[in-house]
PDB file of all heavy atoms in Angstrom:
ATOM      1  N   ARG B  80      20.086 -60.466 -75.037  1.00  0.00           N
ATOM      2  CA  ARG B  80      18.964 -60.317 -76.025  1.00  0.00           C
ATOM      3  C   ARG B  80      17.791 -59.908 -75.273  1.00  0.00           C
ATOM      4  O   ARG B  80      17.580 -60.185 -74.105  1.00  0.00           O
ATOM      5  CB  ARG B  80      18.898 -61.714 -76.611  1.00  0.00           C
ATOM      6  CG  ARG B  80      17.851 -61.684 -77.726  1.00  0.00           C
ATOM      7  CD  ARG B  80      17.990 -63.115 -78.489  1.00  0.00           C
ATOM      8  NE  ARG B  80      16.950 -63.204 -79.479  1.00  0.00           N
ATOM      9  CZ  ARG B  80      15.827 -63.829 -79.073  1.00  0.00           C
ATOM     10  NH1 ARG B  80      15.829 -64.509 -77.972  1.00  0.00           N
ATOM     11  NH2 ARG B  80      14.844 -64.009 -79.904  1.00  0.00           N
ATOM     12  N   ASN B  81      16.967 -59.073 -75.904  1.00  0.00           N
ATOM     13  CA  ASN B  81      15.712 -58.543 -75.291  1.00  0.00           C
ATOM     14  C   ASN B  81      16.097 -57.964 -73.847  1.00  0.00           C
ATOM     15  O   ASN B  81      15.592 -58.527 -72.869  1.00  0.00           O
ATOM     16  CB  ASN B  81      14.631 -59.558 -75.103  1.00  0.00           C
ATOM     17  CG  ASN B  81      14.081 -59.966 -76.514  1.00  0.00           C
ATOM     18  OD1 ASN B  81      14.210 -59.209 -77.535  1.00  0.00           O
ATOM     19  ND2 ASN B  81      13.693 -61.209 -76.651  1.00  0.00           N
ATOM     20  N   PRO B  82      16.910 -56.947 -73.898  1.00  0.00           N
ATOM     21  CA  PRO B  82      17.399 -56.437 -72.540  1.00  0.00           C
ATOM     22  C   PRO B  82      16.341 -56.022 -71.524  1.00  0.00           C
ATOM     23  O   PRO B  82      15.320 -55.502 -71.908  1.00  0.00           O
ATOM     24  CB  PRO B  82      18.129 -55.096 -72.963  1.00  0.00           C
ATOM     25  CG  PRO B  82      18.389 -55.296 -74.329  1.00  0.00           C
ATOM     26  CD  PRO B  82      17.236 -56.132 -74.908  1.00  0.00           C
ATOM     27  N   VAL B  83      16.551 -56.417 -70.219  1.00  0.00           N
ATOM     28  CA  VAL B  83      15.637 -56.138 -69.194  1.00  0.00           C
ATOM     29  C   VAL B  83      16.450 -55.216 -68.276  1.00  0.00           C
ATOM     30  O   VAL B  83      17.538 -55.541 -67.864  1.00  0.00           O
ATOM     31  CB  VAL B  83      15.144 -57.342 -68.523  1.00  0.00           C
ATOM     32  CG1 VAL B  83      14.326 -56.982 -67.176  1.00  0.00           C
ATOM     33  CG2 VAL B  83      14.247 -58.158 -69.292  1.00  0.00           C
ATOM     34  N   PHE B  84      15.982 -54.073 -67.990  1.00  0.00           N
ATOM     35  CA  PHE B  84      16.679 -53.198 -67.080  1.00  0.00           C
ATOM     36  C   PHE B  84      15.703 -52.779 -65.813  1.00  0.00           C
ATOM     37  O   PHE B  84      14.515 -52.635 -65.966  1.00  0.00           O
ATOM     38  CB  PHE B  84      17.090 -51.771 -67.720  1.00  0.00           C
ATOM     39  CG  PHE B  84      18.078 -51.928 -68.774  1.00  0.00           C
ATOM     40  CD1 PHE B  84      17.723 -51.825 -70.094  1.00  0.00           C
ATOM     41  CD2 PHE B  84      19.404 -52.132 -68.387  1.00  0.00           C
ATOM     42  CE1 PHE B  84      18.694 -51.953 -71.090  1.00  0.00           C
ATOM     43  CE2 PHE B  84      20.383 -52.313 -69.505  1.00  0.00           C
ATOM     44  CZ  PHE B  84      20.036 -52.146 -70.877  1.00  0.00           C
ATOM     45  N   GLY B  85      16.439 -52.548 -64.701  1.00  0.00           N
ATOM     46  CA  GLY B  85      15.736 -52.144 -63.531  1.00  0.00           C
ATOM     47  C   GLY B  85      16.265 -50.887 -63.022  1.00  0.00           C
ATOM     48  O   GLY B  85      17.473 -50.756 -62.831  1.00  0.00           O
ATOM     49  N   PHE B  86      15.390 -49.828 -62.839  1.00  0.00           N
ATOM     50  CA  PHE B  86      15.953 -48.537 -62.288  1.00  0.00           C
ATOM     51  C   PHE B  86      15.103 -48.097 -61.141  1.00  0.00           C
ATOM     52  O   PHE B  86      14.017 -48.579 -60.878  1.00  0.00           O
ATOM     53  CB  PHE B  86      15.814 -47.438 -63.423  1.00  0.00           C
ATOM     54  CG  PHE B  86      16.567 -47.849 -64.741  1.00  0.00           C
ATOM     55  CD1 PHE B  86      15.873 -48.119 -65.941  1.00  0.00           C
ATOM     56  CD2 PHE B  86      17.981 -47.911 -64.697  1.00  0.00           C
ATOM     57  CE1 PHE B  86      16.497 -48.389 -67.064  1.00  0.00           C
ATOM     58  CE2 PHE B  86      18.614 -48.182 -65.982  1.00  0.00           C
ATOM     59  CZ  PHE B  86      17.836 -48.530 -67.061  1.00  0.00           C
ATOM     60  N   LYS B  87      15.691 -47.033 -60.500  1.00  0.00           N
ATOM     61  CA  LYS B  87      14.879 -46.438 -59.388  1.00  0.00           C
ATOM     62  C   LYS B  87      14.909 -44.980 -59.553  1.00  0.00           C
ATOM     63  O   LYS B  87      15.995 -44.440 -59.813  1.00  0.00           O
ATOM     64  CB  LYS B  87      15.324 -46.963 -57.984  1.00  0.00           C
ATOM     65  CG  LYS B  87      14.982 -48.501 -57.705  1.00  0.00           C
ATOM     66  CD  LYS B  87      15.168 -48.746 -56.231  1.00  0.00           C
ATOM     67  CE  LYS B  87      14.402 -50.045 -56.046  1.00  0.00           C
ATOM     68  NZ  LYS B  87      15.214 -51.197 -56.008  1.00  0.00           N
ATOM     69  N   ALA B  88      13.937 -44.281 -59.092  1.00  0.00           N
ATOM     70  CA  ALA B  88      13.988 -42.819 -59.082  1.00  0.00           C
ATOM     71  C   ALA B  88      13.207 -42.306 -57.959  1.00  0.00           C
ATOM     72  O   ALA B  88      12.162 -42.811 -57.615  1.00  0.00           O
ATOM     73  CB  ALA B  88      13.437 -42.180 -60.424  1.00  0.00           C
ATOM     74  N   LYS B  89      13.796 -41.189 -57.455  1.00  0.00           N
ATOM     75  CA  LYS B  89      13.059 -40.412 -56.365  1.00  0.00           C
ATOM     76  C   LYS B  89      12.455 -39.208 -56.787  1.00  0.00           C
ATOM     77  O   LYS B  89      12.686 -38.746 -57.987  1.00  0.00           O
ATOM     78  CB  LYS B  89      14.179 -39.997 -55.295  1.00  0.00           C
ATOM     79  CG  LYS B  89      14.574 -41.114 -54.346  1.00  0.00           C
ATOM     80  CD  LYS B  89      15.570 -40.603 -53.296  1.00  0.00           C
ATOM     81  CE  LYS B  89      15.994 -41.747 -52.360  1.00  0.00           C
ATOM     82  NZ  LYS B  89      17.195 -41.499 -51.752  1.00  0.00           N
ATOM     83  N   GLY B  90      11.418 -38.675 -56.107  1.00  0.00           N
ATOM     84  CA  GLY B  90      10.756 -37.505 -56.597  1.00  0.00           C
ATOM     85  C   GLY B  90       9.593 -37.637 -57.515  1.00  0.00           C
ATOM     86  O   GLY B  90       8.956 -36.772 -57.996  1.00  0.00           O
ATOM     87  N   ALA B  91       9.297 -39.000 -57.756  1.00  0.00           N
ATOM     88  CA  ALA B  91       8.140 -39.234 -58.676  1.00  0.00           C
ATOM     89  C   ALA B  91       6.891 -39.558 -57.862  1.00  0.00           C
ATOM     90  O   ALA B  91       6.973 -39.751 -56.603  1.00  0.00           O
ATOM     91  CB  ALA B  91       8.496 -40.474 -59.578  1.00  0.00           C
ATOM     92  N   LYS B  92       5.789 -39.450 -58.488  1.00  0.00           N
ATOM     93  CA  LYS B  92       4.461 -39.859 -57.765  1.00  0.00           C
ATOM     94  C   LYS B  92       3.515 -40.593 -58.740  1.00  0.00           C
ATOM     95  O   LYS B  92       3.735 -40.485 -59.974  1.00  0.00           O
ATOM     96  CB  LYS B  92       3.838 -38.635 -57.225  1.00  0.00           C
ATOM     97  CG  LYS B  92       3.493 -37.577 -58.272  1.00  0.00           C
ATOM     98  CD  LYS B  92       2.903 -36.289 -57.579  1.00  0.00           C
ATOM     99  CE  LYS B  92       2.559 -35.241 -58.659  1.00  0.00           C
ATOM    100  NZ  LYS B  92       3.467 -34.911 -59.586  1.00  0.00           N
ATOM    101  N   ALA B  93       2.563 -41.236 -58.241  1.00  0.00           N
ATOM    102  CA  ALA B  93       1.535 -41.967 -59.088  1.00  0.00           C
ATOM    103  C   ALA B  93       0.918 -41.106 -60.028  1.00  0.00           C
ATOM    104  O   ALA B  93       0.552 -39.883 -59.652  1.00  0.00           O
ATOM    105  CB  ALA B  93       0.549 -42.583 -58.177  1.00  0.00           C
ATOM    106  N   GLY B  94       0.864 -41.482 -61.237  1.00  0.00           N
ATOM    107  CA  GLY B  94       0.247 -40.614 -62.263  1.00  0.00           C
ATOM    108  C   GLY B  94       1.377 -39.987 -63.123  1.00  0.00           C
ATOM    109  O   GLY B  94       0.964 -39.467 -64.220  1.00  0.00           O
ATOM    110  N   ASP B  95       2.604 -39.852 -62.663  1.00  0.00           N
ATOM    111  CA  ASP B  95       3.669 -39.299 -63.499  1.00  0.00           C
ATOM    112  C   ASP B  95       3.867 -40.222 -64.806  1.00  0.00           C
ATOM    113  O   ASP B  95       3.636 -41.392 -64.898  1.00  0.00           O
ATOM    114  CB  ASP B  95       4.948 -39.161 -62.741  1.00  0.00           C
ATOM    115  CG  ASP B  95       4.908 -38.067 -61.783  1.00  0.00           C
ATOM    116  OD1 ASP B  95       3.976 -37.356 -61.723  1.00  0.00           O
ATOM    117  OD2 ASP B  95       5.885 -37.989 -61.003  1.00  0.00           O
ATOM    118  N   LYS B  96       4.333 -39.558 -65.896  1.00  0.00           N
ATOM    119  CA  LYS B  96       4.614 -40.160 -67.059  1.00  0.00           C
ATOM    120  C   LYS B  96       6.034 -40.580 -67.156  1.00  0.00           C
ATOM    121  O   LYS B  96       6.924 -39.744 -67.059  1.00  0.00           O
ATOM    122  CB  LYS B  96       4.269 -39.202 -68.171  1.00  0.00           C
ATOM    123  CG  LYS B  96       4.006 -39.902 -69.601  1.00  0.00           C
ATOM    124  CD  LYS B  96       3.707 -38.958 -70.702  1.00  0.00           C
ATOM    125  CE  LYS B  96       2.255 -38.493 -70.601  1.00  0.00           C
ATOM    126  NZ  LYS B  96       1.998 -37.536 -71.727  1.00  0.00           N
TER     127      LYS B  96
END
Side-chain angles (χ1 to χ4, degrees):
Chain B
R80 186 169 168 261
N81 296 334
V83 175
F84 292 105
F86 304 112
K87 289 199 165 91
K89 282 182 179 159
K92 59 184 184 308
D95 282 357
K96 197 180 281 179

